[in-house]
Amino acid sequence: MIPARNHVTSHGLRKFTALLGLTLAAGLAASTAGAVDPSRIVDADKSPADWLTYHGSYKSYHYSALDQINADNIRNLQVAWTHVPGRSTRGLQSMPLAADGVLYYSGSYSRLFALDGATGEVLWTHFPELNEDLIATQTHSPYNRGIALGHGKVFVGTVDGRLIAVDMKTGEPAWDTKLIDSEKLTVGFTGAPLLVKDTVIIGAQGGEWPSRGPIFGVDAATGKKKWEFFTVAGTEEAKATWGNESWRTGGGGGWMPGTYDPETNAVWWGTANPAPLYDWAGDKWQKEGPRPGLNLYTSSVIALDPDTGKLKFFHQELPHDAWDFDSAVGEFLNIDRNGRKLMVHPNKSGFIFVYDRSNAEIANVWRLVQNINFVKDIDPKTGELIGRRDMAAGKHSNLCPAIPGGISWNTGAYNPNSGLYYKVGQEWCMDLEVVKTTPIVEPQIQLNIGANFQLRDPEGGKAHGHVSGRDPVTGEKKWEVNFTEPPLASLLTTGGNLLFVPDARGYLRALNATTGQEVWKHNNGVGHNGGIISYSAKGKQYVAVETGWGSLVGDEYAALFGEPYKSMPKDSGALVVFALPDQPK
Amino acid sequence: MSPSMVPDRRMACWTAAVFLTVALAGQALAEAQPTTDEKTKTEQAEVPVNGEVLFATSCGWCHQQGGRAAGRGPKLAGSKRDDDFILNRIKRGKQGAMPSFEHSFNDEQIHAILAYIRALPAQ
């Protein structure tokens, strides 16, 4: 730590020495607590200073109990420090984590950073060497959506199919395990891993890439693969739901981290859509077309045993998904209501599913967005799709929502004080032409879409987005704020009764969590499509947000909305950290 | 020859190869190609060499309305780019924006896609 020494006055020097003493003491405390035992993640509620796992805790609230920053003093909130990771292809898309005053995060190319949470000073970095020839053939690469912490290690996946562990203290590599033959299958890992007890769990990309979308369990200590679960035909029962052996090119995957329910020892994970995205069988999809049948376990919520990878129970949100409306969103909110233990999960289609936490039986289904016509409805008692819009080859007009979905992959947030669930909804539609395709699997797997399409405004209005505060179980709306373009970043809510919304144009906005009224904003200079957390270092609360633009959904904005997206860079991004000044201004 | 000239020379060779390819008819092309390409071709026997279908399989996701409108990628209909540029872009892609397809599609397929793009009405 080298402050600008020539500027230190004698008064400043005394202060500096005192601070150094404090730092050393804190350092010592951290060295005993620093390993992040998995029990700390189970009890994450008890350590609001930290953000130990992607969703904040296994409850998936994206809520920080910290309340130093609140609606009364937020007007003083200012940038405390910034970190620029470089090579930020498609913007930063990960979720920072914080433990014992240290902030950890990943950038594009799975670059890892450990920073002093109070100053942003670099403690260590690790830049894995990736197969760049492979990356040149990948569509989604090379962004990274986050890391996991535990057992003294930081875990990150790579787009060339590896899961890597490095030492939390030094960044020294601990192990590096190749899990997927990405050179052949094209997909790798972009999503964050989830640590559950002694196992690191990570799901592969898949969806429109015709393979079988595996989820892996890996020994946190050794890097040895413990199990692999195929989201496409992972059981004999599931195999029977893919006619003509179409499971071989089924798609699937689980590209966002789910969560863990310690009470039932179940890992909940959302799975991706089948390939091709669009199916020309029309209403004969049970028997005809490229993938006849239900296509288990795509566009489903599955519960796996973390120790064995065995399927405990599941619910397929969209049987035979013909619209690319994954269940891959990783949020699984633990909500207890009237003695019932529930799990709330958003589906890309714009519907929110509420499950019984013990068996994934449907407790309710509600709509977050208005423009939905791929089904007439989903039965809130059974989850059954009513009035499916199954399309045959040829032209189809005004399918809603459009391919980026009514809900995107970044997370919402739930505030236990307000009792409200905050979530971005997307209102847009598209025209398309369904085209019969053949999966390309040699020599390297290629996208299999099965349609040409164009995004458009919904009938009678403009494409737009909104953030609303709602009852997570009934969907009852308390307030809603409209955005001319849907924000694409994760949300954060805090004990200071605040909701942070990093928007697409570049503003980080803070809303009153109870009323939705805007109380503060700051322009970060580029759009957001990544994570946001709050943590505390040396007793002070910080809010850390990732900036940078260019996710595959954001890519649509230039054509749809014009400026500022036409000229917005897609190769930059930074970690921007906010705090209150030491003395109020 | 300075080292920096190496890629230029290769590029020139490659461009020549493209012209050659364009000049040759379909069957002659297959015969003229080195064995690796033939291997690729037999492995892909199932995949039709049909520009429209290939486009809807792997390109339409980014080039909207089958290349007729801008989306994630630019509008391709009525492109003023020359054939070399388009063939080159499909083969090599552009890092962070568009994947490269040179390992997956053989010349015949890439030319079929080019023909499809050229046949799109300019407006």
Side-chain angles (χ1 to χ4, degrees), chain A residues 513-534:
Chain A
T514 319
T515 64
Q517 201 179 6
E518 187 169 293
V519 290
W520 175 86
K521 69 177 176 191
H522 172 88
N523 192 342
N524 277 324
V526 65
H528 304 86
N529 53 212
I532 178 168
I533 66 164
S534 189

Side-chain angles (χ1 to χ4, degrees), chain A residues 386-470:
Chain A
I386 300 165
R388 298 171 58 107
R389 188 169 169 185
D390 288 300
M391 298 169 289
K395 293 200 163 136
H396 302 270
S397 165
N398 195 39
L399 176 70
C400 311
I403 186 169
I407 287 172
S408 193
W409 55 270
N410 259 308
T411 70
Y414 171 74
N415 192 316
N417 307 320
S418 69
L420 295 179
Y421 175 46
Y422 311 102
K423 188 76 186 156
V424 175
Q426 304 167 163
E427 306 286 354
W428 41 31
C429 304
M430 70 180 191
D431 297 331
L432 74 162
E433 179 177 12
V434 175
V435 178
K436 292 185 188 183
T437 59
T438 309
I440 300 167
V441 296
E442 297 289 350
Q444 190 190 343
I445 276 182
Q446 293 302 314
L447 280 171
N448 190 10
I449 307 300
N452 292 313
F453 53 81
Q454 184 170 22
L455 271 60
R456 52 171 275 181
D457 292 330
E459 278 172 357
K462 281 225 156 304
H464 70 282
H466 43 73
V467 173
S468 54
R470 293 166 182 264

Side-chain angles (χ1 to χ4, degrees), chain A residues 250-262:
Chain A
W255 45 267
M256 287 300 291
T259 197
Y260 174 58
D261 179 10

Side-chain angles (χ1 to χ4, degrees), chain A residues 136 442 446 453-454 552 556, chain B residues 44 58 64-65 72 100 104:
Chain A
E442 297 289 350
Q446 293 302 314
F453 53 81
Q454 184 170 22
L552 284 154
E556 306 274 14
Chain B
Q44 292 184 348
S58 298
Q64 283 192 14
Q65 222 189 306
R72 288 173 183 147
S100 80
S104 321

Side-chain angles (χ1 to χ4, degrees), chain A residues 38 60 83 99 104 174 242 266 269 275 294 317 330 352 367 370 424 428 449 517 533 560 566:
Chain A
S60 278
H83 180 260
Y104 304 85
W242 296 85
W269 212 273
L294 291 173
E317 293 184 337
I352 310 272
R367 285 166 191 248
Q370 280 134 31
V424 175
W428 41 31
I449 307 300
Q517 201 179 6
I533 66 164
L560 207 55
K566 273 190 170 157

